[in-house]
Amino acid sequence: MDALGQFRLAVGAWAAGGPGAAEAAAVARARAGGVRRVVLVEGDSDRVALETLAARHGRDLGAEGVAVVPLGGATSIGRFLDVCGPAGLGLPLAGLCDVGEERHFRRHLERVGLASQLAPSDLEDLGFHVCVADLEDELIRALGADGVRQVIEAQGEARPFHTFQNQPVQREWPVERQLRRFMGTHSGRKAQYARALVTHLDLGRVPGPLQRLLGCV
């Protein structure tokens, strides 16, 4: 594992607390010198999407010293800001969140002293961008339902998706919601489709929050 990967794992263990937190903090501090910016995202699929988009633009975020760190859920943002923000490593920050989790980000950015009385529109000035409703929804709208179906077929999952659509609980939902829910039906599928959807996306139709996040890092 490279130094940036070690940094990312150490930051996660430090933020989680517990018996290994002090050792993880020491590793994170030792590796922080090679980090130019930390990008805090809700989950691993967000990390994969950002890194895939960067690669399509000829960029290697790891080589640039940009550590994309999944929170494992938006409610953990406070602990990661304590670790990476002014009271911890003091590194430049950016991030991505879902609109439903925006309040957690605003509250903790204010708490750690990075801003005060933030309005939702102020988050972008700090490098934090908001998806409506989430990144999967943004990518589905950007590609369109037919485009996403083509990606599913290219992934060899046309039959599982058709089976999923025919489940009684799914039949009444619009296809866009079916597509979004299908991507979350088993571990690793969100990350799989984050990579596949961004790979197939016309670069002129990249969702705004993802494009702006890449532009600021």
PDB file of all heavy atoms in Angstrom, residues 3-38:
ATOM      1  N   ALA A   3       1.835   5.427   0.389  1.00  0.00           N
ATOM      2  CA  ALA A   3       1.755   6.308   1.558  1.00  0.00           C
ATOM      3  C   ALA A   3       0.394   6.971   1.679  1.00  0.00           C
ATOM      4  O   ALA A   3      -0.135   7.139   2.786  1.00  0.00           O
ATOM      5  CB  ALA A   3       2.858   7.366   1.479  1.00  0.00           C
ATOM      6  N   LEU A   4      -0.213   7.339   0.529  1.00  0.00           N
ATOM      7  CA  LEU A   4      -1.517   7.989   0.586  1.00  0.00           C
ATOM      8  C   LEU A   4      -2.589   7.015   1.057  1.00  0.00           C
ATOM      9  O   LEU A   4      -3.493   7.397   1.813  1.00  0.00           O
ATOM     10  CB  LEU A   4      -1.875   8.566  -0.782  1.00  0.00           C
ATOM     11  CG  LEU A   4      -2.867   9.730  -0.750  1.00  0.00           C
ATOM     12  CD1 LEU A   4      -2.253  10.945  -0.067  1.00  0.00           C
ATOM     13  CD2 LEU A   4      -3.334  10.091  -2.148  1.00  0.00           C
ATOM     14  N   GLY A   5      -2.495   5.740   0.623  1.00  0.00           N
ATOM     15  CA  GLY A   5      -3.421   4.728   1.103  1.00  0.00           C
ATOM     16  C   GLY A   5      -3.275   4.514   2.604  1.00  0.00           C
ATOM     17  O   GLY A   5      -4.262   4.364   3.328  1.00  0.00           O
ATOM     18  N   GLN A   6      -2.052   4.512   3.090  1.00  0.00           N
ATOM     19  CA  GLN A   6      -1.806   4.373   4.525  1.00  0.00           C
ATOM     20  C   GLN A   6      -2.395   5.566   5.277  1.00  0.00           C
ATOM     21  O   GLN A   6      -2.985   5.408   6.349  1.00  0.00           O
ATOM     22  CB  GLN A   6      -0.305   4.263   4.785  1.00  0.00           C
ATOM     23  CG  GLN A   6       0.323   2.982   4.273  1.00  0.00           C
ATOM     24  CD  GLN A   6       1.831   2.988   4.405  1.00  0.00           C
ATOM     25  OE1 GLN A   6       2.409   3.879   5.032  1.00  0.00           O
ATOM     26  NE2 GLN A   6       2.477   1.997   3.817  1.00  0.00           N
ATOM     27  N   PHE A   7      -2.236   6.743   4.699  1.00  0.00           N
ATOM     28  CA  PHE A   7      -2.794   7.942   5.317  1.00  0.00           C
ATOM     29  C   PHE A   7      -4.311   7.827   5.420  1.00  0.00           C
ATOM     30  O   PHE A   7      -4.901   8.098   6.477  1.00  0.00           O
ATOM     31  CB  PHE A   7      -2.411   9.182   4.507  1.00  0.00           C
ATOM     32  CG  PHE A   7      -3.092  10.443   4.959  1.00  0.00           C
ATOM     33  CD1 PHE A   7      -2.597  11.175   6.019  1.00  0.00           C
ATOM     34  CD2 PHE A   7      -4.250  10.894   4.324  1.00  0.00           C
ATOM     35  CE1 PHE A   7      -3.230  12.333   6.451  1.00  0.00           C
ATOM     36  CE2 PHE A   7      -4.887  12.052   4.744  1.00  0.00           C
ATOM     37  CZ  PHE A   7      -4.368  12.776   5.805  1.00  0.00           C
ATOM     38  N   ARG A   8      -4.960   7.427   4.329  1.00  0.00           N
ATOM     39  CA  ARG A   8      -6.415   7.335   4.317  1.00  0.00           C
ATOM     40  C   ARG A   8      -6.914   6.346   5.364  1.00  0.00           C
ATOM     41  O   ARG A   8      -7.864   6.636   6.109  1.00  0.00           O
ATOM     42  CB  ARG A   8      -6.882   6.932   2.924  1.00  0.00           C
ATOM     43  CG  ARG A   8      -8.395   6.924   2.767  1.00  0.00           C
ATOM     44  CD  ARG A   8      -8.817   6.893   1.306  1.00  0.00           C
ATOM     45  NE  ARG A   8      -8.200   5.792   0.594  1.00  0.00           N
ATOM     46  CZ  ARG A   8      -7.587   5.907  -0.586  1.00  0.00           C
ATOM     47  NH1 ARG A   8      -7.497   7.089  -1.174  1.00  0.00           N
ATOM     48  NH2 ARG A   8      -7.068   4.850  -1.175  1.00  0.00           N
ATOM     49  N   LEU A   9      -6.287   5.175   5.456  1.00  0.00           N
ATOM     50  CA  LEU A   9      -6.697   4.189   6.453  1.00  0.00           C
ATOM     51  C   LEU A   9      -6.440   4.685   7.874  1.00  0.00           C
ATOM     52  O   LEU A   9      -7.250   4.470   8.780  1.00  0.00           O
ATOM     53  CB  LEU A   9      -5.952   2.875   6.210  1.00  0.00           C
ATOM     54  CG  LEU A   9      -6.382   2.053   5.001  1.00  0.00           C
ATOM     55  CD1 LEU A   9      -5.514   0.798   4.890  1.00  0.00           C
ATOM     56  CD2 LEU A   9      -7.857   1.671   5.076  1.00  0.00           C
ATOM     57  N   ALA A  10      -5.306   5.340   8.067  1.00  0.00           N
ATOM     58  CA  ALA A  10      -4.970   5.830   9.403  1.00  0.00           C
ATOM     59  C   ALA A  10      -5.945   6.916   9.852  1.00  0.00           C
ATOM     60  O   ALA A  10      -6.360   6.947  11.022  1.00  0.00           O
ATOM     61  CB  ALA A  10      -3.537   6.364   9.412  1.00  0.00           C
ATOM     62  N   VAL A  11      -6.331   7.797   8.942  1.00  0.00           N
ATOM     63  CA  VAL A  11      -7.300   8.842   9.280  1.00  0.00           C
ATOM     64  C   VAL A  11      -8.627   8.210   9.690  1.00  0.00           C
ATOM     65  O   VAL A  11      -9.264   8.632  10.671  1.00  0.00           O
ATOM     66  CB  VAL A  11      -7.490   9.799   8.082  1.00  0.00           C
ATOM     67  CG1 VAL A  11      -8.781  10.604   8.220  1.00  0.00           C
ATOM     68  CG2 VAL A  11      -6.300  10.740   7.975  1.00  0.00           C
ATOM     69  N   GLY A  12      -9.060   7.177   8.960  1.00  0.00           N
ATOM     70  CA  GLY A  12     -10.306   6.499   9.320  1.00  0.00           C
ATOM     71  C   GLY A  12     -10.239   5.849  10.683  1.00  0.00           C
ATOM     72  O   GLY A  12     -11.181   5.950  11.477  1.00  0.00           O
ATOM     73  N   ALA A  13      -9.121   5.196  10.992  1.00  0.00           N
ATOM     74  CA  ALA A  13      -8.976   4.543  12.291  1.00  0.00           C
ATOM     75  C   ALA A  13      -8.873   5.569  13.419  1.00  0.00           C
ATOM     76  O   ALA A  13      -9.404   5.366  14.517  1.00  0.00           O
ATOM     77  CB  ALA A  13      -7.735   3.650  12.281  1.00  0.00           C
ATOM     78  N   TRP A  14      -8.205   6.660  13.162  1.00  0.00           N
ATOM     79  CA  TRP A  14      -8.085   7.733  14.161  1.00  0.00           C
ATOM     80  C   TRP A  14      -9.464   8.320  14.448  1.00  0.00           C
ATOM     81  O   TRP A  14      -9.851   8.514  15.606  1.00  0.00           O
ATOM     82  CB  TRP A  14      -7.131   8.785  13.620  1.00  0.00           C
ATOM     83  CG  TRP A  14      -6.811   9.921  14.542  1.00  0.00           C
ATOM     84  CD1 TRP A  14      -7.213  10.098  15.832  1.00  0.00           C
ATOM     85  CD2 TRP A  14      -6.008  11.071  14.224  1.00  0.00           C
ATOM     86  NE1 TRP A  14      -6.716  11.287  16.338  1.00  0.00           N
ATOM     87  CE2 TRP A  14      -5.974  11.889  15.373  1.00  0.00           C
ATOM     88  CE3 TRP A  14      -5.326  11.466  13.072  1.00  0.00           C
ATOM     89  CZ2 TRP A  14      -5.282  13.103  15.389  1.00  0.00           C
ATOM     90  CZ3 TRP A  14      -4.632  12.669  13.094  1.00  0.00           C
ATOM     91  CH2 TRP A  14      -4.606  13.469  14.246  1.00  0.00           C
ATOM     92  N   ALA A  15     -10.223   8.604  13.388  1.00  0.00           N
ATOM     93  CA  ALA A  15     -11.548   9.192  13.567  1.00  0.00           C
ATOM     94  C   ALA A  15     -12.488   8.234  14.290  1.00  0.00           C
ATOM     95  O   ALA A  15     -13.359   8.662  15.042  1.00  0.00           O
ATOM     96  CB  ALA A  15     -12.134   9.584  12.212  1.00  0.00           C
ATOM     97  N   ALA A  16     -12.301   6.926  14.067  1.00  0.00           N
ATOM     98  CA  ALA A  16     -13.177   5.937  14.711  1.00  0.00           C
ATOM     99  C   ALA A  16     -12.925   5.831  16.204  1.00  0.00           C
ATOM    100  O   ALA A  16     -13.789   5.384  16.963  1.00  0.00           O
ATOM    101  CB  ALA A  16     -12.986   4.573  14.051  1.00  0.00           C
ATOM    102  N   GLY A  17     -11.742   6.206  16.656  1.00  0.00           N
ATOM    103  CA  GLY A  17     -11.405   6.089  18.068  1.00  0.00           C
ATOM    104  C   GLY A  17     -11.093   4.657  18.446  1.00  0.00           C
ATOM    105  O   GLY A  17     -10.869   3.805  17.594  1.00  0.00           O
ATOM    106  N   GLY A  18     -11.090   4.383  19.723  1.00  0.00           N
ATOM    107  CA  GLY A  18     -10.809   3.033  20.187  1.00  0.00           C
ATOM    108  C   GLY A  18      -9.344   2.813  20.504  1.00  0.00           C
ATOM    109  O   GLY A  18      -8.523   3.734  20.413  1.00  0.00           O
ATOM    110  N   PRO A  19      -8.976   1.578  20.851  1.00  0.00           N
ATOM    111  CA  PRO A  19      -7.616   1.284  21.332  1.00  0.00           C
ATOM    112  C   PRO A  19      -6.509   1.624  20.337  1.00  0.00           C
ATOM    113  O   PRO A  19      -5.401   1.947  20.734  1.00  0.00           O
ATOM    114  CB  PRO A  19      -7.659  -0.225  21.602  1.00  0.00           C
ATOM    115  CG  PRO A  19      -9.101  -0.552  21.795  1.00  0.00           C
ATOM    116  CD  PRO A  19      -9.852   0.393  20.918  1.00  0.00           C
ATOM    117  N   GLY A  20      -6.792   1.518  19.033  1.00  0.00           N
ATOM    118  CA  GLY A  20      -5.745   1.769  18.046  1.00  0.00           C
ATOM    119  C   GLY A  20      -5.661   3.200  17.566  1.00  0.00           C
ATOM    120  O   GLY A  20      -4.867   3.512  16.654  1.00  0.00           O
ATOM    121  N   ALA A  21      -6.441   4.100  18.164  1.00  0.00           N
ATOM    122  CA  ALA A  21      -6.519   5.463  17.646  1.00  0.00           C
ATOM    123  C   ALA A  21      -5.194   6.212  17.770  1.00  0.00           C
ATOM    124  O   ALA A  21      -4.799   6.956  16.865  1.00  0.00           O
ATOM    125  CB  ALA A  21      -7.627   6.232  18.361  1.00  0.00           C
ATOM    126  N   ALA A  22      -4.474   6.040  18.879  1.00  0.00           N
ATOM    127  CA  ALA A  22      -3.220   6.765  19.071  1.00  0.00           C
ATOM    128  C   ALA A  22      -2.176   6.334  18.044  1.00  0.00           C
ATOM    129  O   ALA A  22      -1.458   7.170  17.470  1.00  0.00           O
ATOM    130  CB  ALA A  22      -2.693   6.537  20.489  1.00  0.00           C
ATOM    131  N   GLU A  23      -2.108   5.044  17.781  1.00  0.00           N
ATOM    132  CA  GLU A  23      -1.171   4.549  16.772  1.00  0.00           C
ATOM    133  C   GLU A  23      -1.553   5.047  15.387  1.00  0.00           C
ATOM    134  O   GLU A  23      -0.692   5.455  14.591  1.00  0.00           O
ATOM    135  CB  GLU A  23      -1.161   3.023  16.785  1.00  0.00           C
ATOM    136  CG  GLU A  23      -0.181   2.412  15.789  1.00  0.00           C
ATOM    137  CD  GLU A  23      -0.195   0.896  15.827  1.00  0.00           C
ATOM    138  OE1 GLU A  23      -0.820   0.333  16.743  1.00  0.00           O
ATOM    139  OE2 GLU A  23       0.420   0.291  14.932  1.00  0.00           O
ATOM    140  N   ALA A  24      -2.869   5.045  15.089  1.00  0.00           N
ATOM    141  CA  ALA A  24      -3.334   5.537  13.793  1.00  0.00           C
ATOM    142  C   ALA A  24      -3.023   7.020  13.635  1.00  0.00           C
ATOM    143  O   ALA A  24      -2.637   7.471  12.549  1.00  0.00           O
ATOM    144  CB  ALA A  24      -4.826   5.289  13.650  1.00  0.00           C
ATOM    145  N   ALA A  25      -3.172   7.782  14.710  1.00  0.00           N
ATOM    146  CA  ALA A  25      -2.871   9.212  14.657  1.00  0.00           C
ATOM    147  C   ALA A  25      -1.401   9.445  14.321  1.00  0.00           C
ATOM    148  O   ALA A  25      -1.055  10.343  13.543  1.00  0.00           O
ATOM    149  CB  ALA A  25      -3.230   9.870  15.986  1.00  0.00           C
ATOM    150  N   ALA A  26      -0.532   8.623  14.897  1.00  0.00           N
ATOM    151  CA  ALA A  26       0.902   8.762  14.621  1.00  0.00           C
ATOM    152  C   ALA A  26       1.204   8.474  13.152  1.00  0.00           C
ATOM    153  O   ALA A  26       2.010   9.174  12.516  1.00  0.00           O
ATOM    154  CB  ALA A  26       1.699   7.814  15.523  1.00  0.00           C
ATOM    155  N   VAL A  27       0.551   7.461  12.593  1.00  0.00           N
ATOM    156  CA  VAL A  27       0.750   7.135  11.174  1.00  0.00           C
ATOM    157  C   VAL A  27       0.225   8.275  10.307  1.00  0.00           C
ATOM    158  O   VAL A  27       0.880   8.694   9.339  1.00  0.00           O
ATOM    159  CB  VAL A  27       0.047   5.810  10.815  1.00  0.00           C
ATOM    160  CG1 VAL A  27       0.111   5.567   9.306  1.00  0.00           C
ATOM    161  CG2 VAL A  27       0.677   4.653  11.575  1.00  0.00           C
ATOM    162  N   ALA A  28      -0.964   8.780  10.628  1.00  0.00           N
ATOM    163  CA  ALA A  28      -1.548   9.865   9.840  1.00  0.00           C
ATOM    164  C   ALA A  28      -0.650  11.097   9.853  1.00  0.00           C
ATOM    165  O   ALA A  28      -0.420  11.731   8.813  1.00  0.00           O
ATOM    166  CB  ALA A  28      -2.934  10.207  10.367  1.00  0.00           C
ATOM    167  N   ARG A  29      -0.124  11.425  11.016  1.00  0.00           N
ATOM    168  CA  ARG A  29       0.765  12.591  11.094  1.00  0.00           C
ATOM    169  C   ARG A  29       2.047  12.364  10.295  1.00  0.00           C
ATOM    170  O   ARG A  29       2.553  13.281   9.640  1.00  0.00           O
ATOM    171  CB  ARG A  29       1.097  12.883  12.562  1.00  0.00           C
ATOM    172  CG  ARG A  29      -0.075  13.409  13.379  1.00  0.00           C
ATOM    173  CD  ARG A  29       0.380  13.912  14.739  1.00  0.00           C
ATOM    174  NE  ARG A  29      -0.738  14.433  15.513  1.00  0.00           N
ATOM    175  CZ  ARG A  29      -1.372  13.758  16.459  1.00  0.00           C
ATOM    176  NH1 ARG A  29      -0.970  12.507  16.762  1.00  0.00           N
ATOM    177  NH2 ARG A  29      -2.379  14.297  17.108  1.00  0.00           N
ATOM    178  N   ALA A  30       2.559  11.149  10.342  1.00  0.00           N
ATOM    179  CA  ALA A  30       3.792  10.851   9.612  1.00  0.00           C
ATOM    180  C   ALA A  30       3.592  10.930   8.107  1.00  0.00           C
ATOM    181  O   ALA A  30       4.521  11.264   7.361  1.00  0.00           O
ATOM    182  CB  ALA A  30       4.289   9.462  10.006  1.00  0.00           C
ATOM    183  N   ARG A  31       2.389  10.613   7.631  1.00  0.00           N
ATOM    184  CA  ARG A  31       2.110  10.600   6.196  1.00  0.00           C
ATOM    185  C   ARG A  31       1.518  11.922   5.701  1.00  0.00           C
ATOM    186  O   ARG A  31       1.404  12.129   4.491  1.00  0.00           O
ATOM    187  CB  ARG A  31       1.143   9.463   5.865  1.00  0.00           C
ATOM    188  CG  ARG A  31       1.687   8.067   6.172  1.00  0.00           C
ATOM    189  CD  ARG A  31       2.772   7.677   5.182  1.00  0.00           C
ATOM    190  NE  ARG A  31       3.263   6.324   5.427  1.00  0.00           N
ATOM    191  CZ  ARG A  31       4.390   6.055   6.075  1.00  0.00           C
ATOM    192  NH1 ARG A  31       5.138   7.058   6.546  1.00  0.00           N
ATOM    193  NH2 ARG A  31       4.781   4.807   6.268  1.00  0.00           N
ATOM    194  N   ALA A  32       1.142  12.808   6.604  1.00  0.00           N
ATOM    195  CA  ALA A  32       0.429  14.022   6.214  1.00  0.00           C
ATOM    196  C   ALA A  32       1.284  14.976   5.384  1.00  0.00           C
ATOM    197  O   ALA A  32       0.747  15.790   4.623  1.00  0.00           O
ATOM    198  CB  ALA A  32      -0.101  14.747   7.458  1.00  0.00           C
ATOM    199  N   GLY A  33       2.603  14.871   5.496  1.00  0.00           N
ATOM    200  CA  GLY A  33       3.471  15.769   4.739  1.00  0.00           C
ATOM    201  C   GLY A  33       3.321  15.610   3.241  1.00  0.00           C
ATOM    202  O   GLY A  33       3.596  16.550   2.478  1.00  0.00           O
ATOM    203  N   GLY A  34       2.882  14.441   2.793  1.00  0.00           N
ATOM    204  CA  GLY A  34       2.691  14.206   1.363  1.00  0.00           C
ATOM    205  C   GLY A  34       1.284  14.498   0.880  1.00  0.00           C
ATOM    206  O   GLY A  34       0.959  14.224  -0.273  1.00  0.00           O
ATOM    207  N   VAL A  35       0.451  15.067   1.760  1.00  0.00           N
ATOM    208  CA  VAL A  35      -0.949  15.318   1.419  1.00  0.00           C
ATOM    209  C   VAL A  35      -1.161  16.811   1.184  1.00  0.00           C
ATOM    210  O   VAL A  35      -0.881  17.635   2.050  1.00  0.00           O
ATOM    211  CB  VAL A  35      -1.886  14.822   2.544  1.00  0.00           C
ATOM    212  CG1 VAL A  35      -3.337  15.139   2.203  1.00  0.00           C
ATOM    213  CG2 VAL A  35      -1.704  13.323   2.762  1.00  0.00           C
ATOM    214  N   ARG A  36      -1.653  17.133   0.001  1.00  0.00           N
ATOM    215  CA  ARG A  36      -1.922  18.538  -0.344  1.00  0.00           C
ATOM    216  C   ARG A  36      -3.328  18.959   0.057  1.00  0.00           C
ATOM    217  O   ARG A  36      -3.556  20.096   0.435  1.00  0.00           O
ATOM    218  CB  ARG A  36      -1.714  18.738  -1.849  1.00  0.00           C
ATOM    219  CG  ARG A  36      -1.964  20.149  -2.338  1.00  0.00           C
ATOM    220  CD  ARG A  36      -1.581  20.308  -3.791  1.00  0.00           C
ATOM    221  NE  ARG A  36      -2.353  19.445  -4.684  1.00  0.00           N
ATOM    222  CZ  ARG A  36      -3.573  19.736  -5.130  1.00  0.00           C
ATOM    223  NH1 ARG A  36      -4.178  20.850  -4.750  1.00  0.00           N
ATOM    224  NH2 ARG A  36      -4.191  18.903  -5.951  1.00  0.00           N
ATOM    225  N   ARG A  37      -4.269  18.018  -0.043  1.00  0.00           N
ATOM    226  CA  ARG A  37      -5.660  18.307   0.312  1.00  0.00           C
ATOM    227  C   ARG A  37      -6.365  17.011   0.666  1.00  0.00           C
ATOM    228  O   ARG A  37      -6.081  15.966   0.083  1.00  0.00           O
ATOM    229  CB  ARG A  37      -6.388  19.008  -0.840  1.00  0.00           C
ATOM    230  CG  ARG A  37      -7.816  19.462  -0.505  1.00  0.00           C
ATOM    231  CD  ARG A  37      -8.480  20.135  -1.694  1.00  0.00           C
ATOM    232  NE  ARG A  37      -7.840  21.366  -2.052  1.00  0.00           N
ATOM    233  CZ  ARG A  37      -8.170  22.566  -1.567  1.00  0.00           C
ATOM    234  NH1 ARG A  37      -9.147  22.663  -0.682  1.00  0.00           N
ATOM    235  NH2 ARG A  37      -7.543  23.645  -1.959  1.00  0.00           N
ATOM    236  N   VAL A  38      -7.302  17.106   1.615  1.00  0.00           N
ATOM    237  CA  VAL A  38      -8.156  15.978   1.974  1.00  0.00           C
ATOM    238  C   VAL A  38      -9.560  16.273   1.456  1.00  0.00           C
ATOM    239  O   VAL A  38     -10.121  17.343   1.718  1.00  0.00           O
ATOM    240  CB  VAL A  38      -8.200  15.753   3.496  1.00  0.00           C
ATOM    241  CG1 VAL A  38      -9.200  14.651   3.852  1.00  0.00           C
ATOM    242  CG2 VAL A  38      -6.813  15.397   4.019  1.00  0.00           C
TER     243      VAL A  38
END
